[in-house]
Amino acid sequence: MAPSASYTPDERTKGNRLAKRTEYDADLVHSIMNSTPILHVSFNAPFKSNDSEPQFPTILPMLGAIGHHPSDEEPHIYLHGSSAARLFRLTANAEIPLCVCGTILDGYVLALAPFHNSCNYRSAVCFGHGHVITDPEEIEFALRLITNTTNPDRWENSRSPPTKAELTSTGVLKMRIETASAKTRAGGPSDEKADLTNPEVVDKTWIGVVPAYLTLGAPIGGEENKVKHVPEYLQDWVADANSVNEQQAIDAVEGEGDYGKPKKRE
């Protein structure tokens, strides 16, 4: 998929309510998914003929990332977890339908009336079929991708590659993105004209946006840590992530045109 490509909407991703907030731009979708600390993965376990209980959908919080393996024509979602977990057992020999989503809160929007309160946010939803991968090279690619997307440069600055025992206990699931969409909200509150022209309301009710963003704290060494000083790559990651996250929240308040698009770190 070319960098400027868009996903083709279908009944799974087409924006209906507040459709103007919905976009299908691949870069935006990938940026949101790779900026979300925890992805949520939903699926339906195969129905058993002797199961008299209702079939409930399952949703799991998982670590993952979107990346482009050299052998593929387009980026895929990679997820990792315990190889003994139900999702990985279900996809060991067959593909199953999956939905993967990520949401980032950028601010609480406070209006004159609670009905018009809202949030500034960036969200993305991806649909496709997923399966467990077994190729050792692609598994290492996926684990490096997920590690470095979560904690930049961590793979190169820790003991790697994984041991055989680690690989045996870890499953990697790959999902082709068949369709996807992003939905964002930016800007301040939108109030009723009747409220805005009512002095009894506007003179006593504060309105505006409380920015919200993930802040990383100063690294704290573990009990077995032998490295005296926090490595520069970790210090840079904390500083850069905090700066980018705060700026995204401020951009959302101002409703900038490129809000939600990938930010370049200095």
Side-chain angles (χ1 to χ4, degrees):
M1 177 175 289
S4 59
S6 294
Y7 289 105
T8 301
D10 61 17
E11 66 276 4
R12 294 171 291 181
T13 53
K14 183 180 179 181
N16 293 309
R17 185 176 181 277
L18 300 175
K20 65 181 181 180
R21 295 183 184 174
T22 305
E23 297 184 58
Y24 307 97
D25 179 77
D27 283 347
L28 177 58
V29 170
H30 299 174
S31 173
I32 293 171
M33 297 292 282
N34 284 342
S35 298
T36 304
I38 302 293
L39 299 176
H40 286 86
V41 182
S42 61
F43 63 97
N44 282 321
F47 183 78
K48 297 180 180 179
S49 58
N50 61 347
D51 192 351
S52 60
E53 296 297 322
Q55 184 183 31
F56 289 95
T58 300
I59 185 166
L60 301 174
M62 300 182 70
L63 292 176
I66 294 180
H68 193 167
H69 189 267
S71 65
D72 293 319
E73 295 182 357
E74 58 191 8
H76 287 66
I77 295 178
Y78 290 94
L79 303 160
H80 91 86
S82 170
S83 58
R86 179 171 61 158
L87 177 58
F88 291 88
R89 288 187 280 109
L90 289 173
T91 55
N93 298 307
E95 291 190 329
I96 67 170
L98 298 172
C99 175
V100 184
C101 71
T103 302
I104 302 168
L105 175 67
D106 288 313
Y108 296 94
V109 182
L110 306 179
L112 290 172
F115 180 81
H116 294 292
N117 287 349
S118 188
C119 291
N120 286 336
Y121 64 89
R122 288 165 282 153
S123 65
V125 181
C126 302
F127 292 86
H129 286 73
H131 65 278
V132 169
I133 59 174
T134 57
D135 177 66
E137 187 277 329
E138 189 171 13
I139 290 174
E140 183 172 331
F141 165 85
L143 294 177
R144 183 190 297 110
L145 170 72
I146 295 170
T147 299
N148 285 344
T149 299
T150 307
N151 311 116
D153 300 322
R154 185 60 181 174
W155 184 271
E156 292 77 15
N157 287 279
S158 53
R159 193 263 295 157
S160 60
T163 64
K164 183 177 180 180
E166 290 170 339
L167 290 175
T168 300
S169 63
T170 302
V172 176
L173 190 151
K174 178 181 183 179
M175 188 191 94
R176 176 180 175 270
I177 306 172
E178 298 170 6
T179 183
S181 64
K183 202 167 189 178
T184 64
R185 189 215 188 266
S190 178
D191 283 295
E192 298 286 348
K193 185 177 180 180
D195 287 332
L196 291 170
T197 56
N198 185 346
E200 293 184 2
V201 175
V202 297
D203 290 347
K204 70 176 184 179
T205 307
W206 186 93
I207 62 174
V209 180
V210 179
Y213 47 91
L214 178 66
T215 300
L216 303 181
I220 300 173
E223 292 184 4
E224 302 299 326
N225 176 57
K226 304 299 182 183
V227 180
K228 183 178 295 185
H229 301 291
V230 176
E232 185 176 0
Y233 78 94
L234 284 179
Q235 297 182 48
D236 290 344
W237 166 50
V238 170
D240 289 349
N242 288 342
S243 175
V244 169
N245 292 345
E246 180 179 14
Q247 190 59 53
Q248 286 277 23
I250 299 302
D251 288 349
V253 177
E254 299 171 352
E256 290 193 355
D258 64 348
Y259 166 68
K261 298 294 168 54
K263 297 286 184 180
K264 292 184 178 180
R265 294 181 176 179
E266 299 297 333

